[in-house]
Amino acid sequence: MNGYLKKIRVYALCILAGIFALLILQKYAKLAFSKLPEPKVSSPLVQRGSIVDKNGKPLAVLANFYHVGVTPSAIKDPASFVNLFAKELDMTSEELTSIITNARSSSFVYIKKKIDQSTYEILKDITDKNGLISAVRFDRIPGRIYPENNLASQVIGYMGNDGTGLAGIEYTMQNTLSPPVNPNAPIEVQGKNVYLTLDANLQFRLEKIANEALQSTQAASLMLVAAEAKTGEILSYISLPSTNLNEYSNANSDEKKDRPAAESYEPGSVFKIFSIASFFDSGAIDDDDIFLCDGIYEKKMLSGERIKITCLDHHGWITARDALKFSCNDALAQMSEKIESEQFLTRIRSFGFGSKTGIELPSETAGSVRNTSDRLWSARSKPTIAIGQEISVSALQMIQAATAIANGGYPVQLTLIKKITSAGGVEEYIHAPVYKNQIIKEKTAKYILSCMETVAKSGTGSRANLGDISIGVKTGTAQMADPKTGGYSKIDFVSNCIAIFPVEDPEIILYIVIEKAKGETYAGRIVAPVIAQASSVIIDHLGMSRGGAASLAHSGLISIPADEAIKIGDTVPNFIGLPKRSLLQLLNNKEFKLKINGDGWVSSQTPEAGTPFTQDTEIELFLE
C-alpha cells in the first residue's frame, strides 16, 4: 500500500477532489443567489356570458358537463363495475361491458361523453364509495344549457364542446360572450351577457301559431318575423322546421337553416308595394292615373322580342290603388313603362334589395337585383321585376324595406341586440335606433300605407283584416324555381304576406312566408289568416289599444292557493290549468321525462290524461 500511495498521487487526488468541491459550491451559490423561476400557471378560466331575451329570461346559460373515462386495467371486477354504472350512465350492461372489454389493451377510454352535473355527482359518489378513484376519471368541459329547447333556435345558435360558437348569436357574438384572453394571465375572465330584442313569451305564442300553420298547409318550411317599426328591434324570429338546441348535433340541415337571413327567393306580388312606391315617388305615376287591364300585358319590342305577362282577371280601368287591391300584373307592367330601367333599379336598391341588412347573424344573403348589363337582362325584365319576379330577396330585406314605408321614408337598421351587460349587470351597450337616409317622400309612404289598408279591407288580403285596429297588408304567391328544369315549378310556390299596423302610426311590421304548401297555395287564403291571428296576439301581448276593448274593475287583491303535491299513479295525470311553479317538483323524477314549453299555466299536454305509463313515456306540456 505504501508503495502505491505515493505523494504525487495523493496530491493529484486531493486536487481533483478540491476542484469537484469548488464546482459543487459554485452551482450551489448560483442557485442560492439567483432569482426563483415564476411558477407556471394554467390558462385563465373563461366564464362564458349568457344569452337572454329582452326581459332577462335565460335562453343560453353556462353549465358544467363531464366526459367519463376509465382505465380498463384498473377495473378488477368488470361485472361489478358494470352493475354499478350502467343504469346511471343510461346504458345497457351489454354496451358498457363491450366498451370495457374492447379497450382492455388501452390505457384509457371514454365510456360516456357530456353527462350533466347531477349525473356527475351521482357517479362521483359511486366512484368514491367503491374505491374506484384510480379506475374512473371525470373531465370537466365547458357547456351550454338551452332552457327553452327549440325556441328561436336559429337566432340563439349553438356552442360546440370547445367553447366556440358555431351558429347564430353564439357565433357572431363569440368575442363578447367569451373574450379572447392572454393565456399567461392568472385570472378568471368573465364574458358579457347579451340581451336579445326577442320577447320569449311572445316568441313562444307565435311559434305555436306558426307550427299550426305549417301542419295545416303541409308546407316544407315557414318563416315569420315581427319587428318594431320605429326601432328596428326584432320581437319574434321564427324559422321552421327548427331544432332542440340541447340536441343540436342530431339535427339535420333543414332544422339548422336560418331561412329569414340565409334564404333568397322571388317574393311575387308582395313586392308590388315597393314597385309602386318607386313609380309614385319618382313622379312616373300619380294617384289618379288609370290603366286598362284586359287580362294580359303584351308588347312587341323594336328588336322583335315579345313580352307577355298574364293577369289573374280582367280588371278594366284601374288606378295604382286598385292595382294593389286586386294584385293586377297587367297594370304594374304598364306602370313600369313610365320609368327608366336604371332609375327603377336604383330606387329598388335604395330599399336595401341586393344588399345585406347587416343584422347580427351569420350567413346572411344579399339576394339579387339584376343590372341592365347582365347577360340575362331582357325587355321583359323591368315589368317582371315590378311584379316580384326576376329578383331574389330575403325575409329580413322585406322587413327592412317596409320600415321605410312605416317611418315616412326613413329606413331603420334591423337588430337583434337589445343591450350588453357585464357579469355584474353593468350596462355596457344599449341599442338606440339607427335611421338611414330618406329614400321616399313622406307623402309616398303614407300613400302606400293607405293602399295597403285598402288591400286589407276589401282586397286580396281581406282575411288579414282585424276590424278593431287598422292594418295594411299585401299578399303574394310566386312560383318557385325548379332546379331540375331551370324554369319555374308547377307545384312549388312561395306564399307570403307583409303587414304594417296600426296604419295611422305604425308600430309593428309582420312578415310571413310559407314555402311549398300542399293543396291550396294562394296567399290570400293560407297566409293572410295567419297574419290576422299573429297580429292579434302581438297587439294583446304588447297591450296596444283596440277598438271596443272591454274594461274590468278589480280590487287589486289576488288570492294564490298553496301548491298541492302532484300524485303520480299508473296513468298520466291531468296537468291542464296547473301553474309552472307546481311542475318544478316533477323535474327530478325518475319515472318519466318531462318537457315544459313556455310560461304561465298549462294549456295543453301530450300524451292526454289517463294514458298508461310505459318505460319510455315522455310528457310534453305547453304553457301560456
Side-chain angles (χ1 to χ4, degrees), residues 179-346:
V181 296
N182 181 349
N184 297 320
I187 57 173
E188 181 178 282
V189 178
Q190 298 285 345
K192 306 290 191 293
N193 297 320
V194 175
Y195 284 70
L196 301 181
T197 57
L198 300 182
D199 184 320
N201 291 330
L202 178 61
Q203 176 81 14
F204 172 76
R205 297 178 70 183
L206 293 182
E207 280 192 10
K208 186 176 180 181
I209 292 172
N211 274 297
E212 290 172 353
L214 189 70
Q215 293 173 13
S216 65
T217 59
Q218 300 180 55
S221 63
L222 182 148
M223 298 176 251
L224 189 151
V225 181
E228 289 186 350
K230 293 180 173 64
T231 66
E233 294 183 2
I234 306 294
L235 293 175
S236 180
Y237 189 106
I238 299 171
S239 178
L240 299 177
S242 61
T243 181
N244 183 339
L245 291 174
N246 295 301
E247 300 171 0
Y248 191 80
S249 58
N250 299 325
N252 58 44
S253 58
D254 269 354
E255 294 169 333
K256 294 177 181 179
K257 188 174 183 180
D258 177 6
R259 286 181 168 79
E263 183 172 302
S264 61
Y265 53 92
E266 292 186 356
S269 294
V270 173
F271 195 77
K272 290 173 181 174
I273 59 175
F274 306 113
S275 296
I276 290 184
S278 300
F279 303 150
F280 189 85
D281 201 69
S282 66
I285 65 168
D286 206 347
D287 57 354
D288 56 1
D289 288 346
I290 57 174
F291 306 87
L292 177 62
C293 168
D294 57 4
I296 190 169
Y297 173 80
E298 285 186 292
K299 191 172 184 180
K300 183 177 180 180
M301 310 303 292
L302 294 176
S303 61
E305 183 179 356
R306 289 183 176 274
I307 305 170
K308 184 176 180 181
I309 298 175
T310 58
C311 196
L312 294 173
D313 205 342
H314 294 68
H315 297 117
W317 289 100
I318 58 174
T319 62
R321 180 184 297 273
D322 296 326
L324 286 178
K325 175 181 175 179
F326 300 121
S327 201
C328 178
N329 291 340
D330 190 350
L332 262 290
Q334 292 178 54
M335 293 178 208
S336 72
E337 294 179 10
K338 298 180 175 292
I339 189 172
E340 293 293 329
S341 297
E342 291 292 352
Q343 185 183 8
F344 179 48
L345 294 177
T346 297

Side-chain angles (χ1 to χ4, degrees), residues 343-566:
Q343 185 183 8
F344 179 48
L345 294 177
T346 297
R347 287 185 170 274
I348 290 303
R349 291 192 182 95
S350 72
F351 278 102
F353 298 110
S355 303
K356 297 180 180 180
T357 67
I359 201 167
E360 304 89 351
L361 288 171
S363 305
E364 186 183 7
T365 180
S368 176
V369 178
R370 285 181 179 170
N371 293 311
T372 55
S373 58
D374 289 347
R375 180 177 60 86
L376 295 176
W377 182 269
S378 66
R380 67 171 289 123
S381 292
K382 185 172 56 171
T384 304
I385 291 174
I387 63 173
Q389 296 178 350
E390 284 195 38
I391 184 172
S392 67
V393 305
S394 71
L396 288 178
Q397 285 177 335
M398 295 292 283
I399 292 281
Q400 180 88 75
T403 63
I405 294 173
N407 292 308
Y410 293 91
V412 62
Q413 175 64 46
L414 298 182
T415 184
L416 280 160
I417 308 300
K418 181 73 174 179
K419 65 180 179 179
I420 297 172
T421 69
S422 68
V426 178
E427 294 179 342
E428 300 187 0
Y429 165 82
I430 300 176
H431 172 254
V434 178
Y435 287 93
K436 303 181 181 182
N437 294 331
Q438 188 175 24
I439 60 172
I440 55 174
K441 303 179 187 72
E442 184 177 3
K443 176 185 175 182
T444 302
K446 288 183 176 180
Y447 173 68
I448 297 299
L449 277 172
S450 173
C451 291
M452 291 175 69
E453 185 175 21
T454 299
V455 174
K457 286 182 175 179
S458 57
T460 58
S462 60
R463 297 191 184 191
N465 196 28
L466 300 174
D468 59 352
I469 192 169
S470 60
I471 185 171
V473 302
K474 183 66 190 83
T475 61
T477 308
Q479 289 175 287
M480 298 183 70
D482 187 337
K484 293 181 179 180
T485 64
Y488 287 104
S489 171
K490 295 181 179 179
I491 58 173
D492 295 333
F493 293 84
V494 169
S495 308
N496 59 142
C497 181
I498 197 161
I500 302 175
F501 59 90
V503 170
E504 60 274 9
D505 184 18
E507 293 184 42
I508 300 296
I509 299 170
L510 181 62
Y511 182 54
I512 182 173
V513 183
I514 293 179
E515 295 181 313
K516 299 182 180 180
K518 300 291 191 297
E520 179 63 71
T521 59
Y522 184 57
R525 296 192 181 100
I526 67 171
V527 181
V530 183
I531 284 286
Q533 190 179 5
S535 298
S536 189
V537 166
I538 293 171
I539 290 165
D540 290 341
H541 184 84
L542 298 181
M544 297 167 63
S545 61
R546 325 185 56 143
S551 60
L552 178 67
H554 195 277
S555 66
L557 297 176
I558 301 174
S559 176
I560 302 177
D563 295 338
E564 296 183 3
I566 300 174

Side-chain angles (χ1 to χ4, degrees), residues 16-32:
L16 289 174
I19 293 172
F20 181 72
L22 286 172
L23 289 172
I24 294 295
L25 287 171
Q26 183 187 20
K27 290 285 186 183
Y28 177 78
K30 185 176 180 181
L31 289 172

Side-chain angles (χ1 to χ4, degrees), residues 76-211:
K76 306 305 180 185
D77 187 351
S80 176
F81 180 90
V82 169
N83 187 51
L84 287 169
F85 283 86
K87 181 179 179 181
E88 301 302 336
L89 287 168
D90 196 22
M91 300 173 68
T92 64
S93 298
E94 292 75 16
E95 288 174 332
L96 187 53
T97 300
S98 176
I99 293 174
I100 295 172
T101 302
N102 293 335
R104 294 302 292 182
S105 60
S106 303
S107 59
F108 179 81
V109 64
Y110 282 118
I111 56 176
K112 188 83 172 185
K113 290 189 174 183
K114 208 172 181 181
I115 63 169
D116 58 30
Q117 182 71 28
S118 60
T119 305
Y120 158 75
E121 290 172 358
I122 294 171
L123 296 177
K124 185 70 167 61
D125 186 57
I126 293 173
T127 300
D128 294 343
K129 287 181 178 179
N130 292 275
L132 294 168
I133 296 176
S134 61
V136 183
R137 190 177 90 193
F138 298 96
D139 293 339
R140 187 167 73 114
I141 61 169
R144 278 294 215 200
I145 288 179
Y146 300 95
E148 299 302 320
N149 301 316
N150 292 61
L151 194 82
S153 61
Q154 289 91 347
V155 172
I156 298 166
Y158 180 74
M159 187 193 80
N161 289 339
D162 63 350
T164 302
L166 301 178
I169 295 297
E170 292 274 35
Y171 175 83
T172 56
M173 302 298 288
Q174 168 68 21
N175 290 343
T176 300
L177 293 164
S178 183
V181 296
N182 181 349
N184 297 320
I187 57 173
E188 181 178 282
V189 178
Q190 298 285 345
K192 306 290 191 293
N193 297 320
V194 175
Y195 284 70
L196 301 181
T197 57
L198 300 182
D199 184 320
N201 291 330
L202 178 61
Q203 176 81 14
F204 172 76
R205 297 178 70 183
L206 293 182
E207 280 192 10
K208 186 176 180 181
I209 292 172
N211 274 297

